[in-house]
Amino acid sequence: PFQVKYKEKWDQLVNAFQECCDAFPDIKWSLEFKPTDENTRFFTVPSTGAALLLVKDIDRPNMGLTLDVGHMLMAGENPGQSIAMVGDKLFGIQLNDGYTRLAAEDGMMFGSVHPNMALEIMYQLQAIKFAGHFYFDTFPQRTDPVAEAEYNIERAKGFYWAAESMNEENLKEIMDQHDAIGAVKAVDDAMRNM
């Protein structure tokens, strides 16, 4: 508390990104939010909602967001919902996983902790017709980094294809009725396709 003038810092960010976007209109500028950091414990843009507001305030066609699954989990968000909210302003996605503790960026392999959430992430990316870049932001500290990268690619493809196999008509009915049991069964059926 009392260490920063929030509105002034926000306006500085908006102006800085506007200047960058205007100077280089052919470049897509993308911000990756982070709720907190072990070095600063404060970030001006700590959530998907704040990041979307920043993009709206910047108001440039070449300004968007990169979402990191671990950061969304750290912020207590539902990554599928965050992706749906960002829509065509999503320029990149960093796929990883972790436990949902504030300031704990675990950097685990995609879908290793939250496989159902990983499936919905891929479903929502398909729903918004995401055509940006996929990145893996994992920390292979005690594993072979090449093997981990290969496994991340394999898992991401598996979740993508499983999401693609889901019956849209059935999902629409499930969502319209807020049918929790139907949703779990649809996830189970899709996971069998991996």
Side-chain angles (χ1 to χ4, degrees):
F2 303 107
Q3 294 181 30
V4 67
K5 295 178 181 175
Y6 302 114
K7 181 69 169 95
E8 180 181 294
K9 189 58 61 186
W10 186 266
D11 291 342
Q12 288 172 349
L13 266 178
V14 169
N15 293 332
F17 275 113
Q18 285 175 334
E19 189 175 318
C20 292
C21 289
D22 293 344
F24 301 97
D26 294 335
I27 293 177
K28 282 187 165 185
W29 295 87
S30 185
L31 175 85
E32 176 189 343
F33 87 84
K34 190 170 186 180
T36 187
D37 184 271
E38 59 278 358
N39 296 318
T40 63
R41 292 290 174 208
F42 171 78
F43 192 55
T44 309
V45 189
S47 67
T48 299
L52 272 174
L53 180 60
L54 182 68
V55 168
K56 181 179 179 284
D57 285 356
I58 293 166
D59 194 26
R60 298 296 188 272
N62 57 332
M63 182 68 203
L65 298 175
T66 294
L67 293 178
D68 180 303
V69 174
H71 295 179
M72 290 183 279
L73 292 173
M74 286 168 58
E77 297 180 0
N78 172 344
Q81 179 186 20
S82 296
I83 290 165
M85 288 170 42
V86 172
D88 65 355
K89 284 296 187 176
L90 185 63
F91 291 175
I93 182 87
Q94 293 188 2
L95 301 175
N96 51 41
D97 207 339
Y99 299 101
T100 55
R101 299 181 318 265
L102 184 62
E105 188 170 10
D106 299 310
M108 299 173 78
M109 290 177 280
F110 183 58
S112 60
V113 179
H114 300 96
N116 294 3
M117 196 176 285
L119 178 65
E120 187 180 36
I121 286 167
M122 290 306 194
Y123 175 81
Q124 292 299 336
L125 289 170
Q126 291 171 22
I128 66 167
K129 299 180 180 6
F130 177 70
H133 296 286
F134 288 87
Y135 309 92
F136 296 103
D137 187 6
T138 57
F139 315 142
Q141 295 170 347
R142 288 181 268 302
T143 58
D144 175 4
V146 173
E148 183 171 316
E150 289 170 345
Y151 186 75
N152 271 322
I153 293 166
E154 178 186 323
R155 288 288 279 183
K157 286 180 177 179
F159 284 116
Y160 191 90
W161 293 327
E164 204 169 47
S165 77
M166 297 180 87
N167 182 310
E168 279 298 320
E169 199 170 296
N170 184 41
L171 281 176
K172 182 185 179 331
E173 186 176 317
I174 289 167
M175 291 177 194
D176 286 347
Q177 295 178 9
H178 306 283
D179 179 2
I181 295 170
V184 171
K185 287 181 178 179
V187 167
D188 287 346
D189 289 345
M191 295 292 223
R192 285 190 197 99
N193 293 325
M194 286 185 64

